[in-house]
Amino acid sequence: MIRTLLLMVTLAGSQAVFAADPAIFKFDNPSQEARFQQLAEELRCLVCQNQSLADSHADLAGDLRREIHQKMQQGASNEEIVDFLVQRYGDFVLYRPPMRPTTYLLWFGPVLLLLLGFGVFIIVMRRRHQALTPTLSEAEHRRMAKLLEEEDS
């Protein structure tokens, strides 16, 4: 009885997973399918963040793929579809966000972090060098000068 119940729960869960799989869409021609794939590749999954919509298995990515497919069926151009998604989700949905004041950190942040890290490295190395370099007192300077004079004569 318990095994049967567990089997039913497992099968019911797997049905939901297969029903939610948006990987299969109907297209009128191969160029429309290629267009869909191109759009899905150039748009970012908002859940995974490092995957495209084409690569992601997240529910939101499936919803966005369905939205793209629906917009394509309605005759929307690539620009209209991208503009709709950007308007709805912001520039973060794009793998290559446009250069705007709001996206400067995305574009220049890695370079700034690299320069900041290099600056910190230089400062640490200089301080370390200064700490390791022995400093002589005034008496030691006089003694060294005296020894050098004796050596010269």
Side-chain angles (χ1 to χ4, degrees), residues 41-58:
E41 287 292 332
E42 68 184 49
L43 295 169
R44 180 191 315 266
C45 174
L46 299 169
V47 176
C48 306
Q49 298 180 2
N50 63 343
Q51 288 183 321
S52 68
L53 292 179
D55 297 332
S56 176
H57 298 292

Side-chain angles (χ1 to χ4, degrees), residues 1 9 17-18 20-21 32 49 84 88 93 101 113 118 120 132 146 148:
M1 178 70 174
V9 169
V17 168
F18 290 127
D21 185 15
Q32 199 176 37
Q49 298 180 2
F84 171 77
R88 198 169 193 191
V93 76
L113 284 175
F118 186 69
V120 168
L132 295 176
K146 184 178 176 184
L148 288 173

Side-chain angles (χ1 to χ4, degrees), residues 136-149:
L136 301 176
S137 67
E138 193 62 37
E140 290 171 327
H141 275 286
R142 283 191 302 257
R143 183 170 175 229
M144 184 178 287
K146 184 178 176 184
L147 287 173
L148 288 173
E149 285 176 11

Side-chain angles (χ1 to χ4, degrees), residues 120-137:
V120 168
F121 175 76
I122 295 296
I123 290 170
V124 167
M125 292 308 290
R126 282 186 179 173
R127 287 185 181 168
R128 189 177 200 193
H129 178 71
Q130 288 172 354
L132 295 176
T133 303
T135 55
L136 301 176
S137 67

Side-chain angles (χ1 to χ4, degrees), residues 15-95:
Q15 289 292 334
V17 168
F18 290 127
D21 185 15
I24 301 172
F25 293 106
K26 303 285 187 216
F27 296 100
D28 296 336
N29 54 46
S31 66
Q32 199 176 37
E33 185 174 358
R35 184 176 153 221
F36 174 83
Q37 283 294 21
Q38 178 194 6
L39 279 168
E41 287 292 332
E42 68 184 49
L43 295 169
R44 180 191 315 266
C45 174
L46 299 169
V47 176
C48 306
Q49 298 180 2
N50 63 343
Q51 288 183 321
S52 68
L53 292 179
D55 297 332
S56 176
H57 298 292
D59 290 338
L60 180 60
D63 292 342
L64 292 176
R65 286 190 297 263
R66 278 191 288 281
E67 189 73 39
I68 292 170
H69 184 259
Q70 181 182 13
K71 293 280 185 195
M72 286 177 66
Q73 297 302 320
Q74 294 170 355
S77 69
N78 287 7
E79 293 80 25
E80 291 171 332
I81 294 170
V82 170
D83 289 344
F84 171 77
L85 292 173
V86 167
Q87 186 178 22
R88 198 169 193 191
Y89 299 104
D91 287 330
F92 194 73
V93 76
L94 302 173
Y95 260 123

